[in-house]
Amino acid sequence: MEIKKEDFKNETIHLLNYYSKYYCGQYIACEELFENQKGHLALFNLLALFENIMKSTLNDFEDTFYNLNLRLKEKNLINELELKFLNDKKVGIRKIRNILAHANLSKYDLEIIGNEITFPFTENETCLILYKHISTIISGIILKILEPTMTMNYEINTNSQIKKLKFNFITRTPEELMKFKGIEINPEWEKLDEATKYRLVENSSDVNVLTEIFKGLKQ
């Protein structure tokens, strides 16, 4: 049975309901968070749920995300392109997961190739953009890895959607962020540790925006 990409999510809910009512509830909660514009929570919870579903189907809750994906490929549950989509350390799900779970979000911007604007990971909108682009693909992969346990016969193709993904992740320095906000660096700056620098920049108002507001008030 061929499942069209626009039906991936509904079919995932249907299949998860039989496989695990808990996982099904968590999946629906992710979709509701997205619909309610809760980008960080929706994206973080979806990736955590996806990893748990992988571990459950492989009956191994101790292995790493990287190794789990390799094992899915060895079992022919995912193809080579899907493996790259999941495990690529620069732009894959593995990278997004590590940024959200283990990194300072202030360091990273999402770049949509062809778009001059970049999107900070600290912004809710950035996670909404990512969720919109990857959640359907992840849903298709969930269907593929659940299929053997449910004795279903699905035909699922995520390749075309993966090939359409055109984004990078840019690492910003605190000094770059200061420059973007129009803030001058004073001599005390270099005495601060890196985490403090990122935190202070994140908390600072954008001088360029304030300047434009004040200009408007004078007119």
Side-chain angles (χ1 to χ4, degrees):
M1 178 173 61
E2 180 181 359
I3 307 296
K4 297 179 180 180
K5 63 181 181 180
E6 54 267 27
D7 296 326
F8 282 0
K9 291 189 175 183
N10 285 336
E11 196 61 32
T12 299
I13 292 173
H14 173 73
L15 201 58
L16 275 177
N17 188 51
Y18 287 103
Y19 181 76
S20 166
K21 293 188 182 301
Y22 171 73
Y23 288 156
C24 182
Q26 292 300 300
Y27 181 88
I28 293 172
C30 290
E31 287 291 289
E32 290 176 345
L33 286 168
F34 175 71
E35 292 298 325
N36 290 320
Q37 303 293 294
K38 306 294 185 182
H40 283 101
L41 287 173
L43 186 60
F44 185 87
N45 288 342
L46 177 66
L47 298 185
L49 172 63
F50 178 50
E51 183 172 354
N52 281 335
I53 291 173
M54 285 195 294
K55 289 178 175 179
S56 177
T57 57
L58 292 170
N59 193 30
D60 187 347
F61 283 84
E62 302 299 327
D63 212 344
T64 65
F65 184 81
Y66 178 84
N67 286 337
L68 291 168
N69 292 318
L70 292 179
R71 289 168 62 187
L72 291 176
K73 177 62 175 63
E74 289 171 359
K75 291 176 174 289
N76 293 317
L77 296 176
I78 60 174
N79 60 38
E80 194 65 39
L81 188 60
E82 289 164 336
L83 176 63
K84 184 177 180 180
F85 164 75
L86 295 173
N87 262 356
D88 191 295
K89 63 181 181 181
K90 293 182 179 180
V91 295
I93 297 302
R94 178 184 170 202
K95 177 67 174 180
I96 300 171
R97 171 184 172 276
N98 287 342
I99 290 175
L100 290 174
H102 306 298
N104 186 339
L105 295 187
S106 297
K107 283 186 177 183
Y108 297 98
D109 278 11
L110 170 68
E111 177 190 32
I112 307 295
I113 297 174
N115 192 333
E116 294 182 0
I117 300 172
T118 62
F119 305 88
F121 255 86
T122 50
E123 296 292 332
N124 184 64
E125 181 64 28
T126 303
C127 291
L128 290 173
I129 292 170
L130 276 172
Y131 190 99
K132 180 179 179 180
H133 279 80
I134 68 174
S135 59
T136 302
I137 300 171
I138 287 177
S139 298
I141 295 175
I142 289 174
L143 288 174
K144 292 182 73 171
I145 65 179
L146 286 180
E147 182 181 359
T149 66
M150 305 297 291
T151 61
M152 304 294 288
N153 186 21
Y154 285 148
E155 184 180 334
I156 300 162
N157 184 358
T158 64
N159 289 2
S160 60
Q161 290 175 278
I162 294 174
K163 289 176 181 177
K164 289 178 182 177
L165 295 177
K166 302 293 181 183
F167 55 71
N168 289 317
F169 302 116
I170 301 172
T171 303
R172 301 293 190 188
T173 66
E175 291 68 31
E176 279 184 288
L177 298 174
M178 291 275 281
K179 184 177 179 181
F180 293 155
K181 289 192 172 186
I183 305 172
E184 293 185 3
I185 298 175
N186 64 51
E188 297 297 314
W189 178 256
E190 295 305 325
K191 297 179 182 180
L192 302 174
D193 60 76
E194 184 182 82
T196 299
K197 288 179 180 179
Y198 278 113
R199 180 171 52 80
L200 290 177
V201 176
E202 185 63 38
N203 288 341
S204 300
S205 300
D206 191 319
V207 173
N208 298 318
V209 173
L210 293 176
T211 300
E212 292 302 314
I213 293 174
F214 292 142
K215 283 180 181 179
L217 292 175
K218 289 182 179 181
Q219 295 177 359

